[in-house]
Amino acid sequence: MFIDCAKLEKILKADYKSWGVKFGLTEKGMYILNGTGWMIEADNTKITKEFLGTVIKTCGLAPEKGEFMTYQKGHDPQFETERKPLLWDMTEDTKEALISPIKIMQNDNMMTVVKTPGGARLINDARLAIVNPDKCRENENPPSTFAVHGDWLVSCNDEMAVGICFTSPAYKPELEVLRLLSGVDFYWVETPHYEL
């Protein structure tokens, strides 16, 4: 699986301590995991023990088929209504996104500027770091390049999809930088993992 479990554990713990983490298994055998501004959908037959162990270590027992739970520190797990996978449907209607080398610090979080068809957008580096094509198994297809669907940056292969929500600029200078980057040509570079 193209997930860096050490990076995933960090964002899982942060969300578990604050707003909570939602985790479930559809009747058709698809794990859906999401926190604040990110989502992972993975086929339960292809899931790795490392991935599942990372989630269980932070949240607790994995749900049974058809169960969806919200896990939050200081609260008992709360049952949720069953959800359907969204990210693979999103990938059918996406536009190309390019990751730039430009960084912006926002509220003590490092953000990367992403070139999208609609202009420059921000993505949280901690969330972006969970996607790591080097973690693919030998028999696994590499993930697609990042693509944009609405407010989501999406990457997937035949067994897993990851979506990361774009971050809105919090301050006027950041908004101005994004406006300027969107209006002029400048040097965009795809990350080495995604170069063809």
Side-chain angles (χ1 to χ4, degrees):
M1 296 176 67
F2 60 95
I3 289 289
D4 186 320
C5 288
K7 303 284 173 59
L8 174 63
E9 186 173 356
K10 286 181 182 177
I11 66 168
L12 266 176
K13 284 181 177 178
D15 283 354
Y16 176 75
K17 290 175 184 175
S18 56
W19 303 105
V21 176
K22 295 181 189 300
F23 187 41
L25 180 60
T26 67
E27 289 290 348
K28 293 183 178 179
M30 183 71 61
Y31 278 112
I32 301 176
L33 172 69
N34 74 284
T36 307
W38 60 273
M39 182 184 304
I40 298 171
E41 298 170 351
D43 185 331
N44 73 331
T45 62
K46 306 284 177 85
I47 205 127
T48 63
K49 289 180 183 177
E50 182 186 17
F51 173 82
L52 195 54
T54 299
V55 179
I56 291 170
K57 180 177 161 185
T58 302
C59 299
L61 294 175
E64 300 291 326
K65 271 193 175 179
E67 281 186 347
F68 282 79
M69 310 289 284
T70 295
Y71 299 92
Q72 188 175 13
K73 186 175 181 175
H75 298 82
D76 291 333
Q78 301 291 314
F79 283 94
E80 298 282 336
T81 56
E82 183 170 354
R83 295 167 33 211
K84 296 185 188 315
L86 300 169
L87 297 175
W88 273 285
D89 290 343
M90 285 183 184
T91 60
E92 293 174 9
D93 180 29
T94 58
K95 296 181 173 119
E96 185 181 17
L98 298 174
I99 307 298
S100 89
I102 299 170
K103 306 282 185 184
I104 291 178
M105 182 67 85
Q106 178 175 291
N107 296 330
D108 296 328
N109 293 309
M110 190 63 76
M111 304 288 169
T112 293
V113 177
V114 179
K115 182 183 179 187
T116 76
R121 310 263 325 247
L122 294 178
I123 203 84
N124 182 295
D125 274 12
R127 294 178 193 144
L128 187 62
I130 66 173
V131 177
N132 185 347
D134 292 338
K135 298 287 184 178
C136 285
R137 297 183 307 273
E138 286 182 19
N139 63 346
E140 182 183 2
N141 291 329
S144 63
T145 58
F146 281 115
V148 178
H149 180 90
D151 286 333
W152 289 88
L153 187 67
V154 182
S155 183
C156 67
N157 62 11
D158 56 346
E159 58 188 58
M160 184 173 71
V162 176
I164 305 163
C165 202
F166 287 109
T167 304
S168 297
Y171 306 106
K172 190 173 179 181
E174 294 163 6
L175 190 62
E176 186 65 10
V177 166
L178 295 182
R179 185 188 70 75
L180 289 169
L181 294 179
S182 298
V184 297
D185 283 341
F186 67 107
Y187 186 61
W188 289 98
V189 180
E190 289 187 85
T191 60
H193 294 304
Y194 297 100
E195 286 177 354
L196 296 175

